Amino acid sequence: MLTKWDELKLIAQCVAGDDRRAFERLVVEYNDDLRRFILNLTLGDAALTDDLAQDTFLKAYLSIKSFKGLSRFKTWLFRIACNEYYAHIRRLKEVRLEPSCVVRDDCEAPHDGTDAKMDLQAVLASLNEKERSVLLLFYMQDYPLKKIVEITGMPEGTVKSLLSRAKKKLETELKNDGYER
């Protein structure tokens, strides 16, 4: 695990000497966590996860000179990933699907996981994008509220509200599916 000092040295190497190996070290360090976060955001869509992760790292590399070092590099990277995900969602909403592209409700999705994993993905799918991202940052990435505020750029009250709403929705959905505390 890189310390903040190690991160700053690598970033300085990237900025000062266009050192791609230094950036590669940052990618190797944070790739798994970033992909796990994006995979959960996209509800298990591996191809979309790959695209968003690649776009995130590319934007980070191209914008590394704008990194001020006020937060950890990972926090900055997750902020870029959130922005990329939200941009993807906006693009999807702008595109009108042709009738042949619409997924029917009676189609059965292939699955290779356990029922509990599928139930959790279905419950996560019931949340809107912002609720899902805040919930995942809090529970899956174990970030405190202040870090989530930094990553999402939302006010702390909004983050708390989204987190509370997401937890209530999860609880309701899980109870409806037969899960009790």
Side-chain angles (χ1 to χ4, degrees):
M1 177 172 216
L2 295 175
T3 64
K4 187 166 183 165
W5 178 248
D6 293 333
E7 283 180 358
L8 291 174
K9 285 193 307 188
L10 290 170
I11 291 165
Q13 291 171 351
C14 292
V15 171
D18 194 27
D19 187 343
R20 293 180 182 174
R21 288 182 192 247
F23 190 76
E24 180 183 351
R25 184 135 180 254
L26 291 167
V27 169
V28 168
E29 180 70 25
Y30 298 117
N31 186 47
D32 291 345
D33 284 343
L34 182 75
R35 285 183 182 275
R36 188 177 314 108
F37 172 65
I38 296 172
L39 186 66
N40 284 310
L41 272 179
T42 62
L43 302 170
D45 186 335
L48 180 57
T49 297
D50 290 343
D51 290 345
L52 292 175
Q54 183 177 6
D55 290 347
T56 298
F57 282 119
L58 181 61
K59 282 222 170 129
Y61 181 75
L62 295 173
S63 311
I64 196 128
K65 291 179 181 177
S66 70
F67 180 71
K68 294 179 178 35
L70 301 175
S71 64
R72 295 292 304 256
F73 180 77
K74 183 178 177 182
T75 302
W76 185 68
L77 195 62
F78 273 57
R79 173 80 186 254
I80 294 170
C82 280
N83 290 341
E84 287 298 304
Y85 175 70
Y86 293 144
H88 169 75
I89 295 300
R90 280 191 303 276
R91 283 190 301 272
L92 279 181
K93 289 179 180 177
E94 291 172 2
V95 174
R96 295 191 188 263
L97 293 177
E98 294 182 27
S100 63
C101 297
V102 176
V103 177
R104 295 185 345 238
D105 287 338
D106 61 342
C107 292
E108 200 159 316
H111 57 38
D112 55 1
T114 65
D115 287 342
K117 181 179 176 185
M118 290 173 51
D119 288 346
L120 183 58
Q121 280 191 335
V123 171
L124 284 173
S126 72
L127 303 175
N128 70 40
E129 297 85 23
K130 289 184 180 184
E131 291 168 342
R132 187 167 48 248
S133 63
V134 167
L135 188 85
L136 291 170
L137 286 169
F138 189 76
Y139 286 111
M140 298 292 285
Q141 297 299 323
D142 205 25
Y143 278 131
L145 287 175
K146 292 201 184 305
K147 197 64 93 170
I148 296 171
V149 166
E150 232 178 288
I151 290 170
T152 61
M154 294 183 243
E156 187 172 345
T158 303
V159 170
K160 286 179 181 178
S161 174
L162 287 168
L163 188 57
S164 174
R165 197 174 328 138
K167 288 194 288 190
K168 285 179 186 171
K169 282 184 180 179
L170 279 179
E171 184 178 359
T172 302
E173 289 288 327
L174 289 172
K175 280 183 182 177
N176 290 342
D177 288 345
Y179 292 96
E180 295 293 326
R181 277 189 181 202

